[in-house]
Amino acid sequence: MEQLSAGKKLDQAFEKLGKEKSLSFELDLDADAATLKQLDAGSDPEPGEEIPDEAADLLGGAKVSVTVESRKAIAESEEKDFVGMAMKVSSADGDLVEYRVVGDYTYVRSDVEALTKAMGAPMPPADELPPEAGGLKKALEGQWVKFSTKEMEKFGQEMGAGSATEPSPEPTLDARTQKKLLDALREVVAREVDFKTAGGEDGTEHITATAPFRTLVTELFGEIRPLAKDLPPGMDLPSDKDLKDAPDTEVTADFTLRNGELTEVYVDLAKLAENTKVKKFGLVLKMSGGTRPTAPAGATELDLEEILGGFASVMVPDEKSSEG
């Protein structure tokens, strides 16, 4: 009885999320830099390919925040229905990258110095860019810049055409196939996942879902394979043989519901690491009602020629300066 009740409560909570017209969520990696270094060492990287300390520090404290707004309920929305989107990647030291899509423009800003330091590929100082690359200088200085979303999409289509033939439409799943996939997922979850529920204070309830990882993914792909002909081209599904080496340790997800609404999901991945030194390794997903993305004031407008010209000057050395 508890199994049915907990699973039904989760279903209802996800249905509530789908009825919202705006939604915000935050993804947080629950692992410190030392854990990430241990995981990297356990993968036997080639000499010189180990994860840099700066990258481990950045990833260990990173959070990704996303907000979407649609004219319709999220579950019923197609790409044309979304009227605003915002995403931000932040660390313990501040915001790293942020972009917003509002109206006809996409707005971007980033901490270039922190990002390039973590990646080990420093960009040249803003004052080394040519005068015509004023917008890119603003971007390198961490200020807001913007560009026409339609112009960027048009540019991408022109770059991807490569021939006189019409570009292929984006692969999509029709509503019937989406329903089949959802039904397959629910069937596997009902068969393989053990649910437990515990009440809390102020209308809070915790539901834990536990399942052996290899069994779960093997059963799930087994249910999906009969639908392969309805999936977009190039979407290859792994075979049972491909999955036989996946760890079969139990993975637990903890769902927090407040007054029937899903507010947080914590997935414990420590056992999947198969590294006895790793004690704490998980993913945290927090959800809340969305706030409307707004256009930042004072953004400098970029055009495609400026972007291409600026990056060309950065990436291609000047012939005169390389002589002698």
Side-chain angles (χ1 to χ4, degrees):
M1 193 64 158
E2 183 182 41
Q3 174 100 352
L4 178 62
S5 175
K8 187 173 182 180
K9 287 177 181 178
L10 274 183
D11 264 350
Q12 292 174 341
F14 278 110
E15 286 174 3
K16 282 185 178 182
L17 284 179
K19 292 177 181 178
E20 298 288 342
K21 290 186 177 180
S22 61
L23 182 66
S24 294
F25 59 88
E26 179 183 275
L27 183 64
D28 181 10
L29 182 63
D30 187 22
D32 57 22
T35 296
L36 296 177
K37 295 283 285 185
Q38 289 170 352
L39 290 170
D40 181 61
S43 66
D44 295 326
E46 294 292 329
E49 297 295 323
E50 300 89 350
I51 184 171
D53 291 342
E54 294 85 356
D57 288 336
L58 185 148
L59 291 172
K63 293 182 180 180
V64 180
S65 305
V66 178
T67 293
V68 292
E69 182 186 14
S70 174
R71 298 186 184 92
K72 298 181 179 179
I74 298 294
E76 301 171 2
S77 297
E78 299 178 5
E79 185 176 352
K80 60 182 176 61
D81 299 314
F82 289 98
V83 294
M85 178 180 177
M87 186 185 80
K88 180 168 64 177
V89 180
S90 57
S91 72
D93 296 326
D95 298 339
L96 297 171
V97 180
E98 183 174 4
Y99 83 89
R100 305 177 192 175
V101 181
V102 183
D104 296 329
Y105 284 90
T106 297
Y107 301 81
V108 183
R109 71 171 175 178
S110 62
D111 186 339
V112 177
E113 183 178 350
L115 289 172
T116 54
K117 183 178 179 182
M119 293 185 293
M123 294 284 282
D127 57 12
E128 290 187 11
L129 290 175
E132 62 270 19
L136 281 177
K137 287 183 180 181
K138 297 286 188 183
L140 289 177
E141 292 168 353
Q143 299 186 41
W144 280 105
V145 295
K146 67 179 183 178
F147 55 83
S148 167
T149 305
K150 287 184 178 179
E151 287 297 317
M152 181 60 77
E153 290 174 351
K154 181 181 177 182
F155 174 73
Q157 291 171 356
E158 291 174 351
M159 291 292 290
S163 67
T165 59
E166 286 292 322
S168 301
E170 288 291 324
T172 58
L173 290 174
D174 59 57
R176 185 166 171 245
T177 302
Q178 289 182 44
K179 185 178 184 305
K180 286 182 178 180
L181 288 172
L182 185 58
D183 289 344
L185 175 60
R186 285 177 170 170
E187 185 174 336
V188 171
V189 168
R191 187 170 65 239
E192 303 295 341
V193 178
D194 291 325
F195 291 103
K196 290 183 180 180
T197 182
E201 298 179 355
D202 301 325
T204 299
E205 185 173 15
H206 290 277
I207 296 175
T208 57
T210 304
F213 180 73
R214 187 198 313 145
T215 301
L216 184 63
V217 295
T218 300
E219 290 293 316
L220 179 59
F221 283 114
E223 292 286 344
I224 294 176
R225 280 191 202 100
L227 307 176
K229 65 181 185 302
D230 299 320
L231 299 179
M235 194 170 180
D236 297 325
L237 299 177
S239 65
D240 288 346
K241 184 178 180 181
D242 295 329
L243 298 170
K244 69 179 181 63
D245 292 329
D248 207 30
T249 51
E250 289 192 336
V251 176
T252 298
D254 185 290
F255 300 85
T256 302
L257 277 63
R258 185 167 286 111
N259 298 322
E261 296 185 355
L262 183 63
T263 59
E264 183 173 322
V265 183
Y266 183 92
V267 183
D268 188 350
L269 302 173
K271 291 182 180 178
L272 285 184
E274 296 186 316
N275 185 329
T276 57
K277 294 181 180 180
V278 174
K279 304 299 181 184
K280 187 178 182 181
F281 180 46
L283 284 175
V284 186
L285 181 66
K286 297 179 181 179
M287 280 149 288
S288 62
T291 55
R292 172 170 292 189
T294 58
T300 301
E301 185 167 357
L302 302 176
D303 59 47
L304 293 180
E305 291 184 3
E306 179 180 290
I307 294 173
L308 294 176
F311 276 112
S313 68
V314 170
M315 302 303 293
V316 180
D318 184 72
E319 290 183 4
K320 292 182 179 179
S321 63
S322 63
E323 293 176 356

